[in-house]
Each structure stands twice: as structure tokens, then as C-alpha cells.
Amino acid sequence: LPRNTVTDAFGSANTPSLFAIIFGVNPETQPVLSDSFWHVFPLPANVFTVFTRRNSGEFMSTFGLIEYKDASSEVRAVYDDIMATRKTDWINNFWKAIAHDPALLQRTWESIKQIMAPGALDPLTKELLYIAVSVTNNCHYCIASHTASAFGKGMTDAMFKELQAVIGMANETNKLVTGYQVEIDDRFTPPLPR
Amino acid sequence: LPRNTVTDAFGSANTPSLFAIIFGVNPETQPVLSDSFWHVFPLPANVFTVFTRRNSGEFMSTFGLIEYKDASSEVRAVYDDIMATRKTDWINNFWKAIAHDPALLQRTWESIKQIMAPGALDPLTKELLYIAVSVTNNCHYCIASHTASAFGKGMTDAMFKELQAVIGMANETNKLVTGYQVEIDDRFTPPLPR
Amino acid sequence: LPRNTVTDAFGSANTPSLFAIIFGVNPETQPVLSDSFWHVFPLPANVFTVFTRRNSGEFMSTFGLIEYKDASSEVRAVYDDIMATRKTDWINNFWKAIAHDPALLQRTWESIKQIMAPGALDPLTKELLYIAVSVTNNCHYCIASHTASAFGKGMTDAMFKELQAVIGMANETNKLVTGYQVEIDDRFTPPLPR
Amino acid sequence: LPRNTVTDAFGSANTPSLFAIIFGVNPETQPVLSDSFWHVFPLPANVFTVFTRRNSGEFMSTFGLIEYKDASSEVRAVYDDIMATRKTDWINNFWKAIAHDPALLQRTWESIKQIMAPGALDPLTKELLYIAVSVTNNCHYCIASHTASAFGKGMTDAMFKELQAVIGMANETNKLVTGYQVEIDDRFTPPLPR
Amino acid sequence: LPRNTVTDAFGSANTPSLFAIIFGVNPETQPVLSDSFWHVFPLPANVFTVFTRRNSGEFMSTFGLIEYKDASSEVRAVYDDIMATRKTDWINNFWKAIAHDPALLQRTWESIKQIMAPGALDPLTKELLYIAVSVTNNCHYCIASHTASAFGKGMTDAMFKELQAVIGMANETNKLVTGYQVEIDDRFTPPLPR
Amino acid sequence: LPRNTVTDAFGSANTPSLFAIIFGVNPETQPVLSDSFWHVFPLPANVFTVFTRRNSGEFMSTFGLIEYKDASSEVRAVYDDIMATRKTDWINNFWKAIAHDPALLQRTWESIKQIMAPGALDPLTKELLYIAVSVTNNCHYCIASHTASAFGKGMTDAMFKELQAVIGMANETNKLVTGYQVEIDDRFTPPLPR
């Protein structure tokens, strides 16, 4: 059984959820299969095939992901700076997806690097704020990536739980305020005492 | 000059932003003035009138605000606990507005008290998270009240600025992720390393 | 006292919250006052002036409001149908604001009339749903108008309070679900048992 | 090997992400498998089975999708008009999902047809606006479908990138405005100069 | 053929979308497979393997789900009350996900139980409101669970359709109001006539 | 008549909507009046007073606005570039509000200048997109400023109306898609045909 081929198909970085186990057929040459393929593909008699079609509901980045090896020197320079700044050896999909617009990639990374650096607020607090925004915006990628990042920066399980409780409560009282049409107290009008 | 009448008009708890300085006319009998009033009201020649109409765009809480002196003992107990817990002598409008539903008032306060207390996250960090949610939700009352509260708990101007920068950037990258349809990296899938 | 001038200023349909009581000065010629005006306007000695500047934060519809008397026959036909259907004699600002686009006015009214009519859900329940959406969207005009409308259709104070409690709680648990990244139970996958 | 059966299972329009490769068992008769099925199904000894269960996180329309061949003449009339207007021979899932409410289907299509037609704005600009709303609302189906549609109407890769950059920046500055509680400039108050 | 092993892997409650059909290898011991696994796992020659990797885009709760059998007595007490109150014998994922924070679990359940109980609004109306909020917030889990719940409480297909039509229309008019910057009618200002 | 005092009160840059016309009383000493003030202030008999209280619902920027004359050279350089790029002689409040964080001011302006410049999309189309995002986000300042800006760049009334119609419809169908839980068509999965 050509199980190595199977393993290769799984490991293909560009097709994490579409894969084909085709014994005797090269999956590299047909990574994305059109609808009509499923109906008319003339399978040779000696080929046993198991397909898992990409699921609706899953995302696949509009232009695909630009891997380091395929990147221009301009893009690589940003990738290198991301990895050096973060002391890591990989690049997450967000950067690979927006790398199709190198100006956006560079501008976004420069802003992120500046904003998320230690300052009056420490980097972990900034990650927690990022999660609070991302949960409120319902951005699943952002929640997943910044939750991972926050754990990496020292967020404990207890902190995660309090974070979620605050986010939930804030979303509730935001709506109570809105629904009851509460007017702003004069004391909350700037200038505010420190 | 009938300034007492003026003062009464200002002090009317149910009309915080609609008032009339009408010398010689009783404002009590017409606290809300219909549109037609402005056109046809026959002002006596010896009456000098300055009206400030309530502005559209302003909020006025649906049931009005319940002041301490008008509150039931059930509501007063919550107000007392709020003031004791916060070491202050006043109650902000949010509580006065939802006090019309004493069960909601009590439940919300108990939750807030529990959630915002010192824990794995300090109270100031929790205020910053509250602001991040409120800005993302566009809840002006909530932004105003929690910004005031955060300054009261030690937020510096520098912290406020970094907070807003993180909120702004998170909202931008949330949408870049969404617009480019970025798929979640396998490394961001739980369980996550600590 | 030139009180007629005052009354006219108040009654101006297009400037509901900007007005000037200027005795001896014609307000028609300067309906919007620039910032510099407030500093340098040389008031004649015999002019007593009270200005109330339009507040930032207030809305003024982009194209103004089209009153019935100024409406085309096409727009009047919709206004007439709104008043007949609702058994009322006035038109609220929403319709007057979008009447600048008669096709939008007609299409929106036809849809609203069809959707909000009694059906499998009664009209009051539909108003409650409208409020739930409007609070979640933070649309203040919509909250104000549909809260008024719901009271007109029989919403009691107790119903209002339960409505707000549900909206608040739903917004909280929506975010807990999102923040904890909860996966959908298989039982919640259609087809669903009735 | 009964590979034709496999192909049929893949091609089943109503089960795009749930399928079974069951050799010797008819997949038509059990397109949706209950939880208990997985535990108790008595597999015959000579049946080799590979199941891929529908993933949590994936959507499946509440009432399923109404295909053309199964549609009422009322629904078919709308489908026909969609295909004729769009010069295409297929109907996307949105219409098939809401076709369970023929009045909604017709009303929505009539509005879309009217609104998205060439006018003061060209159809491609309207698609870009649709994407901007959909990204801001985080509606993945809408992003996917209107991105495909915009490419079909002539959006270039460069236009897509600028579109995303504007959406991202607008979401950032929207929140900076909100967080800093910026008051509206008088010059931005209608009536606005053209 | 070791089909029992296959069936067990499918039926594993904790791995609804990750499974392995490994003949001769125990899937219980490796329910979550790291990336490196896919590359280097040394498959024995007599093992035929079909993997379906968990898809990006799917959610997996941050801390996993706490099943009844693994729950503390504190958590079990809440689970028991949920099942007793709802007259059912299972717990949906939301509760299992937040059970990692027992205080949150208990507080949320107590609030939900109080708020969703029959009162001035009946339980089905409250479910419809929950759906309206969840759709507006784009919370897929919440839509799926409360749609299932509403059907369980008597929502008919006709009610579902009218519900969606109201939600859709409310979201449209919310934005027309906002885009045209409509000012609030004086009649909509509290106090409102009942 | 002490009209100079009146004029000063209006002209106070930090209190744009709170002012007092107090003849014989110094308004400088009490720019923000507490609630209790309105009840107990002992007006001298010879003082005629007209107060307009700052309305709840109005915004006042957290740190106030930095005018050109009060700005640092760093901030002035950005202001100068804004005015030169836009060929105008004034700065709107957004920039004056965030100028308290010069790094944010500069970064945001550089990004805006780059993104909103002519490219694959023309500047007017970009303004329309900005409005679409701002309406969907319910950001009133942003709607007001970008609507004014779009008219300045050539948006006609007809274009404004079509823009609003598209925004409204997109928000409606976004929610119909979500409420009906529509799965993404395979044809909408990247890579997409151009």
C-alpha cells in the first residue's frame, strides 16, 4: 500500500483540509477539484480512492497563502522581522494571506510591532485587550490566534476565565444601557478627574 | 423675577434636558410640548420666553431614573451596597435606570461586583477590557462611564492612549482577517501550550 | 418684543435643534454659524442675543425631512397609506428622511407593511423582535421609535423589562460562546425535530 | 471496487459535506445519519466503511436547500428570473435556502434586482460596497459569494487589495473616533455643500 | 476487518470531527494528533490508515468540554438542575465548555433560568428574541442551539420564517436610519403613552 | 448688557456645548455644574440666568481638541500635511482629538493618505466604501465626516441614495443568510475565476 503518498498529501501546507488519498494518482497535480470532477473523473479500475471534499463553512484565503520559500525579498524581509521580533521560526496564516499586498503587510506589521510592544501597558494586557475586541467582533481567527498568543505570553487559565467573564458581562450591560436608553451622567463628561 | 419657577423646571427629575424658562406661565402643566405648540402658542406680550427644546439624538431613559429618596427599600439596599463597595456617595444613571426592574438591578450588581473584584486580573485591567468591549460595541454611555472609572482606578493618560491604539488596531486586523478569509492555523487549535 | 421671530425660528422644520433668538437680526440669513462667528460677531449694543448652538452628537438628516405639504403625489400616496394602515395622522421622521428616494420609500414601506402584519407571529411580538435587533445594533432612533410603537401595541412595563433582560443575557452568552470557542452540538444540526 | 457508488455519494447535491462511502449499502436511503447510527449500525462483515461525519462549525441550512427540480412553479419563476438576469445557469445556496418562504424569496430578489442594477453607481462598485458591509458584519457566506461575484464583474486583484485596505482602515478609525469620543464638527452638519 | 474500532472512534464524544481509522492501532491513546505526527508517524506495514484532519474554520472549545462523568460535584449540581429544569437527559456543549469556570457556570445558569422562565413574556417568545439577538450578533452556535430550542418549544415553520423576515427587515431599516442620519421624533421621547 | 461675558462663554474651546449666560456671575469658576447646583444655587435677585445644560448623549472628546495654535511642532507638521494634501485650510476634530498621541496621529494619517489615494479604485469610491463601513458600524462621527467628504469629492444625491439602498439591502441579506444558516457554495471557494 502506498501509504507514504497518503502521508505526503496530509502534510501539504497549502491544502490543510482538502486532500485526496489517491493510490497511483499524483495529488500534487490536482490540489483543488472542481465540482464536475466528482461526477466525471474516470477512475482507473485499479485505483482505490477516498476523497474528503473541502467543507462549506470552512475558510480558504482568497488568494491563498504565500509561504516563505515562495515569497519576494520584500515579503521575506517582513517575515524575517516578524520571526526575529517574536523569537519564533514560523509565520502564521494572517501574514501569509495579506502578503499578496506587500504594502499592507509592511504597514500592518510596523503598526502591530509598535502598538503591541511594552509601554504603559504590558504585552500580555495588550493581548487580553485584543481578545476582548476579537470576541466582541466575533472574529474566530483572531480569537484563536490571540488566545494562543496570550497563553504564550503568560496568561494563566484563571486569567482566561476572568477575561471571558468580563467580556460577557460588558456585552450584557452595554445592551442594558442601550435598551433602557440611559443618559450619560454629567460626572462622566470630560474633563475627567485623575 | 420668578426664578424659583426656573429652578423647579431644571430640577424636574423626569425632564433632565427639556426645560422652559417661562416667566408667568406654569411649566408644570406642560412638561412635554407638542410640535404644534411651538407654532401656535399665543405668548402674552409681557412674557419673555426662552425655550430650549430637547434635542433629538439625546437619550432619556425609558422609565426615567429612580433617585435614592424615591427608591424602595429593596432598591436602596442595592444602592447602599454599590456606594459601600465603591467607597462613593453617589449612584450613576445606569443603576437608576434599571432599578425599575429590581431583580435585574440586583442580579446585575451581584455579577458586576463578583466579576470586577480583584482576582487573577486586577480591577484596572478589567476596566480597560470593559472599555475595549464598549468601544467595539459603540456604546457611548459605557465608554464614558468606564473611561471615568478607569481614570479613577489609576489609568494614566499614556495607558489610555495605548489602550485606544490597541483597540483601533485590533478592529482593523479583525477585518483584514475576515476580508481575506484567512483559515485558522493548526497551531492555534486547542489544546494550546502554556 | 419681536416674539414672532422667535416662534418662526423654533418652527423651522429643517432646523429642529439649531435656533437663534435674535431680536432685530434676521436669523434666516445665517442658519448655520461658523466657529469663528462665535468669537468675532460684533453684536450691536441694542441687540440681546441668546444662541443655542446645535450640539455635536445630534443627528440632522442628510437631506432634511420632507413634510406632507411639500411632498410629491408619489410620496404622498405612501404617506397616506402609512397613516391609513397605522390608523394615525402623522408620519415619523424615518419616512420623511428616506422620502428623498421615492423608490426606497415605497419598497421599504411595502416590505414593512407585509412583514409586520399579523401572521404566525402577532404584531406586538414582531415589535419586540424589532427592539431586540435595534438594541443589539445600537440604533438609537430605532430603539426609540419601536419602543414607543410597542407600548402603543400593548407592551406592558413588565414585558419591556423581561425583553431587556433577555436581550442583555443573550448578548452575554453570545460572547461567552464565542470567547470559549464552543463547537456546535450534533443535535443542533438540521434537520431539527419539531 | 464499486467506485461508482462512491462517486454518486459525492455528487449528492443535498449532502455536500456529509457523505458515506459504503460499499454494498445504498447511501441514498440514509443521507443524514443520527448520532445513534454511529454506535449501533450493524455493519455486515463484507462491508468496508469510511465515514466522514459532518463537522461542527459547518452550517447546514435550517430547512435544507430547494433545488430547481423540487421547486414549486412560484419558486421556479424566481429562479428563472435570477438565472436570466444574471445570464447564468445555476442558483446559489442563498436563494435555495430562503425559497422555503416564497414571499421572502420574491421580495428579496425584486429588491436586489432593482438595487444592484446599473444606476448612478455601476454594478461593480455596488458589489464592492456589498463586500464592505459583509466584512464589517463578519458574514462569511456573504463575503465568499460577493467576492466571487465581484471578480465575475471585473474586480481585479489590485482592486480587491485596495478594497480590503479601506475596509480595515475604516474599521480602525471608526473605533478611534468612538474611543476618543470625538464630537462632530459643525461643518459636517447638513445641509452639506456639494 | 476491525470495524468495531472504527465505530468507537466515530462515537468518541470528545472528538466529533477528528477521527482516525487505524486498524490495529488504538485511537483512544492519541485523540489529538500534533502536526509533526502526520509527517513522522512510523506506520507499521500491515496498517492501512485513513486520516481526516480537523479542519481549520471549525471550533474546538479552548479548554475542551467537561462531561458529566468527569465533573466535580459542584458542576454536576448545575448539570443536574439544567436537566431537571429542561426535562431532558443531556447537557449541550455551551455548559460543558464554561464548566471550567464553575462560578461562571452557576451564575450564568441561575440568570438564564430566571430570565427564560414564563413571565410577562412566554418562553417561546423569549427564544425568538434570543434568536433575533444571536442572528444580529452573527453567533452561529447560539443560532443553532436556540433555533433547535425554539422548535422544541413549539415554534412552527411559519413562525421561523416570519421571525427571519423581521430580523432581516429590522437590520435593513436600522442601517437606513443610520445612513440617512435620521433625528429622533419628539413623540418618541419618554415618557411614552401606554 | 454684559455681552462680552456671553461671547467668552460661547467661545471657550473646551466647553463647546455647556455654557452659561450669567449676568454678574463669573462662569469661569463653575464650568461644570453638579446636579445639586440646579436645585440649591442661590440666585441673587438682580441676576437673570439662562442655563443650557450640556446634554447627555453628546460627546466631548476625552482629552479635548488640540488646536493648531496650541500644537507641538510634531503635531503641526501632520496638520500641515493634512491641509496640503486635502487642499484645505482647516483640520477636523478627529485629528485634533487623537493629536494627544502624536505617534497615533502620524501613523494614522500616513496610512489614510496612502490608502485613500487614487489607485485601482478612485478616491470617491473609497469614500463610499468608508461610508458603508461606518454605517454598518453605527459610527455617527464617521458617517457625518465621510458623507461630507464624499459630497466634496463629487458624490451626487443620486449616488448617495443608491449607496444607502445597497448598504440597507446588504445588511438585510447578511442576516437572512445568517438566520437561515446557509452553507457556502463550492463555487465560492477560492481560487475564484477572474
Side-chain angles (χ1 to χ4, degrees):
Chain A
L1 279 169
R3 60 184 166 72
N4 286 336
T5 304
V6 175
T7 311
D8 287 348
F10 283 128
S12 167
N14 284 321
T15 58
S17 55
L18 171 69
F19 60 89
I21 307 169
I22 308 185
F23 296 3
V25 173
N26 181 6
E28 290 298 307
T29 60
Q30 46 202 0
V32 176
L33 301 172
S34 71
D35 268 12
S36 56
F37 171 87
W38 302 98
H39 293 280
V40 305
F41 189 71
L43 290 175
N46 63 338
V47 169
F48 169 56
T49 303
V50 178
F51 290 108
T52 300
R53 297 173 70 180
R54 193 174 170 279
N55 291 308
S56 61
E58 256 184 288
F59 313 136
M60 180 176 287
S61 187
T62 314
F63 292 135
L65 305 173
I66 296 183
E67 299 297 330
Y68 190 91
K69 66 180 166 53
D70 306 318
S72 68
S73 60
E74 185 183 10
V75 166
R76 279 192 188 184
V78 178
Y79 284 6
D80 286 338
D81 193 35
I82 291 173
M83 291 188 288
T85 303
R86 295 186 164 174
K87 300 187 195 340
T88 183
D89 64 349
W90 73 297
I91 298 291
N92 56 304
N93 288 347
F94 172 59
W95 307 108
K96 294 180 191 168
I98 67 170
H100 291 274
D101 182 349
L104 175 66
L105 173 71
Q106 183 159 22
R107 194 173 58 232
T108 305
W109 166 244
E110 288 301 328
S111 295
I112 286 273
K113 187 167 67 165
Q114 188 175 351
I115 289 169
M116 300 301 279
L121 300 174
D122 62 278
L124 177 52
T125 298
K126 291 178 176 180
E127 286 293 340
L128 301 181
L129 293 168
Y130 231 101
I131 295 172
V133 169
S134 302
V135 171
T136 304
N137 272 338
N138 213 16
C139 178
H140 297 296
Y141 181 91
C142 317
I143 295 166
S145 65
H146 287 279
T147 299
S149 185
F151 278 127
K153 288 181 180 170
M155 178 173 69
T156 63
D157 286 13
M159 292 167 77
F160 175 88
K161 291 169 192 173
E162 294 195 10
L163 166 66
Q164 300 302 332
V166 172
I167 295 170
M169 180 54 49
N171 274 283
E172 177 174 12
T173 59
N174 275 202
K175 296 312 173 191
L176 291 174
V177 158
T178 305
Y180 274 87
Q181 304 185 72
V182 184
E183 53 263 44
I184 297 178
D185 301 70
D186 287 335
R187 292 201 195 189
F188 294 151
T189 301
L192 298 164
R194 306 296 200 273
Chain B
L1 278 169
R3 60 182 167 74
N4 287 337
T5 304
V6 174
T7 312
D8 287 348
F10 285 141
S12 168
N14 283 321
T15 58
S17 57
L18 170 69
F19 60 88
I21 307 169
I22 308 186
F23 296 2
V25 173
N26 183 3
E28 290 299 305
T29 60
Q30 46 204 0
V32 176
L33 301 172
S34 70
D35 270 12
S36 56
F37 171 87
W38 303 97
H39 292 281
V40 305
F41 188 71
L43 291 175
N46 64 338
V47 168
F48 169 55
T49 302
V50 178
F51 292 106
T52 300
R53 299 174 67 179
R54 189 172 174 281
N55 291 307
S56 61
E58 257 183 286
F59 311 137
M60 180 176 288
S61 185
T62 315
F63 293 135
L65 305 174
I66 296 183
E67 299 296 330
Y68 189 90
K69 67 180 166 55
D70 305 319
S72 69
S73 60
E74 185 183 10
V75 166
R76 278 191 190 185
V78 177
Y79 283 7
D80 286 338
D81 194 35
I82 291 173
M83 290 188 287
T85 302
R86 294 186 166 174
K87 300 189 194 338
T88 183
D89 63 350
W90 73 298
I91 297 291
N92 56 305
N93 288 348
F94 173 59
W95 306 109
K96 294 179 189 169
I98 68 171
H100 290 273
D101 183 348
L104 175 66
L105 174 70
Q106 185 160 22
R107 194 174 57 230
T108 306
W109 167 243
E110 288 301 327
S111 295
I112 287 272
K113 188 168 66 167
Q114 188 174 349
I115 289 168
M116 299 302 279
L121 299 174
D122 63 279
L124 177 52
T125 298
K126 290 178 176 181
E127 286 293 340
L128 301 181
L129 293 168
Y130 232 100
I131 293 172
V133 170
S134 302
V135 171
T136 305
N137 272 337
N138 214 16
C139 178
H140 297 296
Y141 181 91
C142 316
I143 295 166
S145 65
H146 287 280
T147 299
S149 186
F151 278 126
K153 288 181 179 170
M155 178 173 70
T156 63
D157 286 14
M159 292 166 78
F160 175 89
K161 291 169 192 172
E162 293 194 11
L163 167 66
Q164 300 301 332
V166 173
I167 296 171
M169 181 54 49
N171 275 282
E172 178 173 9
T173 58
N174 275 202
K175 296 312 173 192
L176 291 174
V177 158
T178 305
Y180 274 87
Q181 305 187 72
V182 184
E183 53 263 47
I184 298 178
D185 301 70
D186 288 334
R187 294 202 194 189
F188 295 152
T189 302
L192 299 163
R194 305 296 200 274
Chain C
L1 279 170
R3 60 182 166 74
N4 287 337
T5 304
V6 174
T7 311
D8 287 348
F10 283 127
S12 168
N14 284 320
T15 59
S17 56
L18 171 69
F19 60 88
I21 307 169
I22 307 186
F23 296 3
V25 173
N26 182 2
E28 291 299 308
T29 60
Q30 46 203 1
V32 175
L33 301 173
S34 71
D35 269 10
S36 56
F37 171 87
W38 302 97
H39 292 280
V40 305
F41 189 72
L43 290 175
N46 63 338
V47 168
F48 170 54
T49 304
V50 178
F51 291 107
T52 300
R53 298 173 68 179
R54 192 174 172 281
N55 291 307
S56 61
E58 256 184 288
F59 313 136
M60 180 176 287
S61 186
T62 314
F63 292 136
L65 304 173
I66 296 182
E67 299 297 330
Y68 190 89
K69 66 181 165 56
D70 306 319
S72 68
S73 60
E74 185 183 11
V75 167
R76 278 192 189 185
V78 177
Y79 283 7
D80 286 337
D81 193 36
I82 292 173
M83 290 189 288
T85 303
R86 293 185 166 176
K87 301 187 194 338
T88 184
D89 64 349
W90 74 297
I91 297 291
N92 56 305
N93 288 348
F94 172 59
W95 306 109
K96 294 180 191 167
I98 66 171
H100 291 274
D101 183 349
L104 174 67
L105 174 70
Q106 184 159 22
R107 194 173 60 229
T108 306
W109 167 244
E110 288 302 328
S111 295
I112 286 273
K113 189 167 65 165
Q114 187 175 351
I115 289 169
M116 299 302 279
L121 300 175
D122 62 278
L124 177 52
T125 298
K126 290 177 175 179
E127 286 292 340
L128 301 181
L129 292 168
Y130 231 100
I131 294 172
V133 169
S134 302
V135 171
T136 304
N137 271 338
N138 213 15
C139 178
H140 297 297
Y141 181 91
C142 317
I143 295 166
S145 65
H146 286 280
T147 299
S149 185
F151 278 126
K153 288 181 181 170
M155 178 174 70
T156 63
D157 286 13
M159 292 166 77
F160 175 88
K161 290 169 192 172
E162 293 194 11
L163 166 66
Q164 300 301 331
V166 173
I167 295 170
M169 181 54 49
N171 275 282
E172 178 175 9
T173 58
N174 276 201
K175 296 312 173 190
L176 291 174
V177 159
T178 305
Y180 274 87
Q181 305 186 71
V182 185
E183 54 262 47
I184 297 178
D185 301 71
D186 288 334
R187 293 202 195 189
F188 295 151
T189 300
L192 298 164
R194 307 295 200 273
Chain D
L1 277 170
R3 60 183 167 73
N4 287 336
T5 303
V6 174
T7 312
D8 286 348
F10 284 129
S12 168
N14 283 321
T15 58
S17 56
L18 171 68
F19 60 87
I21 307 169
I22 307 183
F23 296 2
V25 173
N26 181 4
E28 289 299 306
T29 61
Q30 45 202 2
V32 176
L33 300 173
S34 71
D35 268 11
S36 56
F37 172 87
W38 303 97
H39 293 280
V40 305
F41 190 71
L43 292 175
N46 63 338
V47 168
F48 169 56
T49 302
V50 178
F51 290 107
T52 299
R53 298 174 68 180
R54 191 173 172 279
N55 290 308
S56 61
E58 255 185 288
F59 312 137
M60 181 176 286
S61 186
T62 314
F63 293 135
L65 304 173
I66 296 182
E67 299 297 329
Y68 190 89
K69 66 180 166 54
D70 305 318
S72 68
S73 60
E74 186 183 9
V75 166
R76 278 192 189 184
V78 178
Y79 283 7
D80 286 337
D81 194 36
I82 292 173
M83 291 188 289
T85 303
R86 295 185 165 174
K87 300 187 192 344
T88 181
D89 64 350
W90 73 296
I91 298 291
N92 56 304
N93 289 349
F94 173 59
W95 306 108
K96 294 180 190 167
I98 68 171
H100 291 273
D101 183 349
L104 175 66
L105 174 70
Q106 184 159 22
R107 195 173 57 230
T108 306
W109 167 244
E110 288 300 329
S111 295
I112 286 273
K113 187 168 66 166
Q114 188 174 351
I115 289 169
M116 300 302 278
L121 300 175
D122 62 279
L124 175 53
T125 297
K126 291 178 176 182
E127 286 294 339
L128 301 182
L129 293 168
Y130 231 101
I131 294 172
V133 169
S134 302
V135 170
T136 304
N137 272 338
N138 213 16
C139 178
H140 297 296
Y141 182 91
C142 317
I143 295 166
S145 64
H146 287 280
T147 300
S149 186
F151 278 126
K153 288 181 180 169
M155 178 173 70
T156 62
D157 286 13
M159 292 167 77
F160 176 88
K161 290 169 192 173
E162 293 195 11
L163 166 66
Q164 300 302 331
V166 173
I167 295 170
M169 181 54 50
N171 274 282
E172 178 174 12
T173 59
N174 275 203
K175 295 313 173 190
L176 292 174
V177 159
T178 305
Y180 274 88
Q181 305 185 70
V182 185
E183 54 263 44
I184 297 177
D185 301 70
D186 288 334
R187 293 202 195 188
F188 294 151
T189 301
L192 298 164
R194 305 296 199 274
Chain E
L1 277 170
R3 60 183 166 74
N4 286 337
T5 303
V6 174
T7 311
D8 285 348
F10 284 140
S12 167
N14 284 321
T15 58
S17 56
L18 171 69
F19 61 89
I21 307 169
I22 307 185
F23 296 3
V25 173
N26 182 5
E28 289 300 306
T29 61
Q30 46 202 1
V32 176
L33 300 173
S34 70
D35 268 13
S36 56
F37 171 87
W38 303 98
H39 293 281
V40 306
F41 189 72
L43 291 174
N46 64 338
V47 168
F48 168 55
T49 303
V50 178
F51 291 107
T52 300
R53 298 174 69 180
R54 189 172 173 281
N55 290 308
S56 61
E58 256 184 288
F59 312 137
M60 180 176 288
S61 186
T62 314
F63 293 135
L65 305 174
I66 296 183
E67 299 297 330
Y68 190 90
K69 66 180 165 55
D70 305 319
S72 68
S73 60
E74 185 183 9
V75 166
R76 279 192 188 183
V78 177
Y79 284 7
D80 286 337
D81 194 36
I82 291 173
M83 291 189 286
T85 302
R86 295 186 165 174
K87 301 187 194 340
T88 183
D89 65 349
W90 74 298
I91 298 291
N92 57 305
N93 288 348
F94 173 59
W95 306 108
K96 294 180 191 169
I98 68 171
H100 291 274
D101 183 347
L104 174 67
L105 174 70
Q106 183 159 23
R107 195 173 58 230
T108 305
W109 167 244
E110 288 301 327
S111 295
I112 286 273
K113 186 167 67 165
Q114 189 175 347
I115 288 168
M116 299 302 279
L121 299 174
D122 62 279
L124 176 52
T125 298
K126 291 178 176 181
E127 286 293 340
L128 301 181
L129 292 168
Y130 232 100
I131 294 172
V133 169
S134 302
V135 171
T136 305
N137 272 338
N138 213 15
C139 178
H140 297 298
Y141 181 91
C142 316
I143 294 166
S145 66
H146 287 279
T147 299
S149 186
F151 279 126
K153 288 181 179 170
M155 178 172 71
T156 62
D157 286 14
M159 292 167 77
F160 175 89
K161 290 169 191 172
E162 294 194 10
L163 167 66
Q164 299 303 331
V166 172
I167 295 170
M169 181 53 51
N171 274 283
E172 177 175 10
T173 59
N174 276 203
K175 295 313 173 191
L176 291 175
V177 158
T178 305
Y180 273 88
Q181 305 186 72
V182 185
E183 53 264 45
I184 298 177
D185 301 70
D186 288 335
R187 295 201 193 189
F188 295 152
T189 301
L192 299 164
R194 305 297 200 275
Chain F
L1 277 170
R3 59 182 167 74
N4 287 336
T5 304
V6 175
T7 311
D8 287 347
F10 284 141
S12 168
N14 284 320
T15 59
S17 56
L18 170 70
F19 61 87
I21 308 169
I22 308 184
F23 297 2
V25 173
N26 182 2
E28 290 299 305
T29 60
Q30 45 202 2
V32 175
L33 300 173
S34 71
D35 270 10
S36 57
F37 172 86
W38 303 97
H39 293 280
V40 305
F41 188 71
L43 291 174
N46 63 338
V47 168
F48 169 55
T49 304
V50 178
F51 290 107
T52 300
R53 299 174 68 179
R54 190 173 173 279
N55 291 307
S56 60
E58 256 184 287
F59 312 137
M60 180 176 287
S61 185
T62 314
F63 293 136
L65 305 173
I66 296 183
E67 300 295 331
Y68 189 91
K69 67 180 165 54
D70 306 319
S72 67
S73 60
E74 185 184 9
V75 166
R76 278 192 189 184
V78 177
Y79 284 6
D80 286 337
D81 194 36
I82 292 173
M83 291 188 288
T85 303
R86 294 184 166 175
K87 301 186 193 342
T88 182
D89 64 350
W90 74 296
I91 298 290
N92 56 304
N93 289 347
F94 172 59
W95 306 108
K96 294 179 190 168
I98 67 171
H100 291 274
D101 183 349
L104 175 67
L105 174 70
Q106 184 159 23
R107 195 174 57 230
T108 306
W109 167 244
E110 288 301 328
S111 296
I112 286 273
K113 188 167 65 166
Q114 188 174 352
I115 289 169
M116 299 302 279
L121 299 174
D122 62 279
L124 177 52
T125 297
K126 290 178 176 182
E127 285 294 339
L128 301 181
L129 292 168
Y130 231 100
I131 294 172
V133 169
S134 301
V135 171
T136 304
N137 272 337
N138 214 16
C139 178
H140 296 297
Y141 182 90
C142 317
I143 295 166
S145 65
H146 286 280
T147 299
S149 185
F151 278 126
K153 288 181 181 169
M155 177 173 70
T156 62
D157 286 14
M159 291 166 79
F160 175 88
K161 290 169 191 173
E162 294 194 11
L163 166 67
Q164 300 301 331
V166 172
I167 295 171
M169 180 54 50
N171 274 282
E172 178 174 10
T173 58
N174 275 202
K175 296 312 172 190
L176 291 174
V177 158
T178 305
Y180 274 87
Q181 305 185 71
V182 185
E183 54 263 46
I184 298 178
D185 302 69
D186 288 335
R187 292 202 195 188
F188 295 151
T189 300
L192 299 164
R194 305 297 198 273

